[in-house]
Amino acid sequence: MSRLIVVSNRVNPPADPGVGTAGGLAMALSAALREDKGLWFGWSGHTVEPYTGQLSMQVVGGVTVALLDLDTQDEQEYYNGYANRTLWPLFHYRPDLVNYERSFDEGYERVNTRFAETLLPLIGPDDIIWVQDYHLIPLGRELRKRGVKNRIGFFLHIPWPARRILSTLPRHAELVESMFSYDLVGFQTEDDVEAFTDYAIHDAGAALEKDGVISAYGRRIRARAFPIGIDATDFEATLKSERAELFYKTMLNSQAGRKMLLGVDRLDYSKGLEERFTAYETLLANNPGMHGHLFLLQIATRSRDEVDAYQDLRGRLDNLSGKINGAYATVDWVPLRYVNRAYRRDELAGIYRAADIGLVTPLRDGMNLVAKEYVAAQDPENPGVLVLSQFAGAAEQMKEALIVNPLSREDVSEAVHRGLSMPLKERKRRWESLMENVRRNDVSRWRDDFVACLKTPITELAGVE
Ligand code: GDG
């Protein structure tokens, strides 16, 4: 029997999808695997000394998982090192934050080898393998080296950078060559596919055929965009839960008639939080008449605390939020509610619904699921307005949002102003079109499209010889 094997860095299906605090990737994958009798393989998130290579098999929230413990050197060099200090900043266009260390590189290769060695015995002849994200780019190559002939796909959740940026990475050619061990490489947007293809053509002498078929390094693969979505049905059900309803009402009470702008993000420099706070400060400075009549609620869950750039960002945001509140707060009004704790999914759903403006302004983002969740949470009779960065992958699909340049404080501030005064009729028209897109391009479609494409050999594609 053919099974789907999903491989990702962390394996953390929420035990109960309603109350989990899992990130976008975890929610998307568990939703996909629950329906399928698949297997999810990856790092347990724990370390052991010494490394044993032993797997622990479990069933979590209806999903069969195979967990591997790594050692502390792996965690430092592979996860906190190459993945989060090298690839993440580079792929998000922050070469200034990139840390190149040979040991990170070695750790990355070692962990990908460990993944390949421990996964190998679990692979049946008809299984198809789907590798997730930037932590595991070389895994396909390591599996091929060990004789795996199965169809293997790769999906990148973050942006693929322009070739001039990518080429600042030592051994960038090797990284790209690993992409050609897969049968299918999937990206969030057409823009990412174009950036990948551009590198392949100019730096690897690749030839481009029809239907995204591309050949280089002696292999023919397919590169295509598969924009990820949310589990819209599950989200709508969560929204109807008692807890979501409670949080919606609690927010309305605490708003006391004021308009609420809302940001929900992992505390990450790619999310444009500093620029968002500054844009909000500009809005307040330019519109004294608004004082006391609105506030920004920013939920920013702490993330990757071990990495210096994240600690530095936290410090700067603490200062900036203090400065804004210091300058504008009155005895009965706090303009910026800056919250670092995480909320349950159902609580978050209620909070989204109460927001008049959803502020999603990353400087770079593969997709951004918060934009889609915000839309899915709105009251169809009185929907809020989504203000969305042109640099989020979601902007390629969500054209009825107010699209902004997150680097321009005036641009963002004006869009918020426009959203707050937008007539109901226009809000409804925009929301209906956005919601239709969120429903149509949901996570099941993302999974089905990718898996169907992975199963189709290149020779069976119309127009490809
Ligand atoms: C990567 C890519 C791509 C946030 N705070 C809480 C909470 N969240 C949830 C949100 C949302 C998820 O985390 C964040 O997803 P994003 O898509 O916005 O961003 P990343 O975590 O950076 O995800 C991204 C994604 O992968 C999928 O491909 O879209 O571009 O960077 O679901 O709701 N959830 C709960 N409490 C919180 O406080 N429960």
Side-chain angles (χ1 to χ4, degrees), residues 20-21 23-24 88 157 188 228 264 266 271 301 342-345 348 352 365-370 373:
T21 50
W88 177 273
H157 289 260
Q188 299 275 25
I228 200 167
V264 176
R266 273 188 311 99
K271 303 293 181 184
T301 322
Y343 285 84
R344 289 165 38 144
R345 271 195 92 62
L348 208 53
Y352 279 133
D365 218 330
M367 175 56 62
N368 195 298
L369 295 175
V370 169
E373 290 165 1

Side-chain angles (χ1 to χ4, degrees), residues 48 62 100 182 198 237 320 356 432:
V48 276
Y100 303 108
Y182 296 99
D198 191 41
L320 197 49
D356 298 279
E432 276 158 18

Side-chain angles (χ1 to χ4, degrees), residues 336-348:
L336 175 55
R337 301 185 190 178
Y338 176 49
V339 180
N340 286 139
R341 56 159 290 190
Y343 285 84
R344 289 165 38 144
R345 271 195 92 62
D346 45 7
E347 297 170 346
L348 208 53

Side-chain angles (χ1 to χ4, degrees), residues 133-430:
D133 230 357
Y134 61 103
H135 314 84
L136 300 173
I137 294 174
L139 182 60
R141 182 195 67 208
E142 292 305 315
L143 290 171
R144 296 282 182 230
K145 267 193 203 162
R146 289 164 178 76
V148 174
K149 298 274 187 289
N150 302 51
R151 300 195 70 76
I152 315 180
F154 174 82
F155 184 79
L156 185 69
H157 289 260
I158 65 175
W160 182 273
R163 51 190 275 260
R164 298 276 183 228
I165 297 268
L166 185 59
S167 58
T168 62
L169 180 74
R171 300 180 58 232
H172 55 92
E174 250 179 276
L175 195 75
V176 178
E177 184 173 357
S178 323
M179 294 285 277
F180 282 79
S181 295
Y182 296 99
D183 296 291
L184 172 65
V185 290
F187 299 91
Q188 299 275 25
T189 66
E190 296 299 339
D191 226 40
D192 298 317
V193 175
E194 211 177 288
F196 174 74
T197 311
D198 191 41
Y199 179 103
I201 292 172
H202 292 98
D203 298 66
L208 190 60
E209 303 170 41
K210 281 185 189 163
D211 287 315
V213 175
I214 177 162
S215 38
Y217 308 103
R219 281 193 49 95
R220 254 169 123 213
I221 66 165
R222 222 170 320 157
R224 251 193 61 182
F226 298 89
I228 200 167
I230 62 167
D231 188 340
T233 317
D234 178 74
F235 194 85
E236 285 177 72
T238 302
L239 197 58
K240 293 200 180 98
S241 68
E242 252 177 56
R243 193 135 187 115
E245 189 64 26
L246 173 71
F247 263 69
Y248 174 58
K249 291 200 175 124
T250 306
M251 285 318 300
L252 290 186
N253 274 338
S254 108
Q255 276 172 248
R258 297 181 173 114
K259 300 285 182 192
M260 173 163 89
L261 327 183
L262 175 68
V264 176
D265 306 80
R266 273 188 311 99
L267 209 164
D268 191 297
Y269 48 79
S270 67
K271 303 293 181 184
L273 295 168
E274 283 175 276
E275 292 74 8
R276 191 178 306 165
F277 283 7
T278 312
Y280 179 58
E281 195 179 22
T282 302
L283 180 78
L284 295 177
N286 292 346
N287 298 280
M290 283 185 170
H291 296 186
H293 301 293
L294 86 177
F295 67 93
L296 167 60
L297 169 61
Q298 176 62 56
I299 298 175
T301 322
R302 283 169 62 167
S303 166
R304 304 178 193 171
D305 270 347
E306 307 76 12
V307 180
D308 307 349
Y310 290 74
Q311 292 164 11
D312 296 348
L313 173 66
R314 196 145 53 83
R316 291 198 303 275
L317 288 170
D318 286 348
N319 282 339
L320 197 49
S321 57
K323 183 179 150 228
I324 294 171
N325 280 333
Y328 292 99
T330 59
V331 286
D332 61 352
W333 175 55
V334 179
L336 175 55
R337 301 185 190 178
Y338 176 49
V339 180
N340 286 139
R341 56 159 290 190
Y343 285 84
R344 289 165 38 144
R345 271 195 92 62
D346 45 7
E347 297 170 346
L348 208 53
I351 300 172
Y352 279 133
R353 193 175 178 88
D356 298 279
I357 303 282
L359 257 184
V360 181
T361 55
L363 306 182
R364 287 282 159 189
D365 218 330
M367 175 56 62
N368 195 298
L369 295 175
V370 169
K372 300 189 173 188
E373 290 165 1
Y374 175 72
V375 166
Q378 295 311 296
D379 174 357
E381 296 312 317
N382 186 23
V385 175
L386 175 65
V387 173
L388 179 62
S389 161
Q390 68 187 87
F391 303 122
E396 225 174 61
Q397 300 174 298
M398 305 182 86
K399 297 197 191 303
E400 293 297 325
L402 296 183
I403 304 290
V404 293
N405 179 345
L407 295 163
S408 160
R409 52 163 84 186
E410 284 93 357
D411 207 3
V412 177
S413 146
E414 281 164 22
V416 170
H417 196 286
R418 182 173 165 205
L420 288 173
S421 45
M422 190 180 284
L424 178 62
K425 202 168 157 207
E426 183 180 351
R427 278 192 278 133
K428 276 184 163 176
R429 179 180 58 72
R430 287 176 181 271

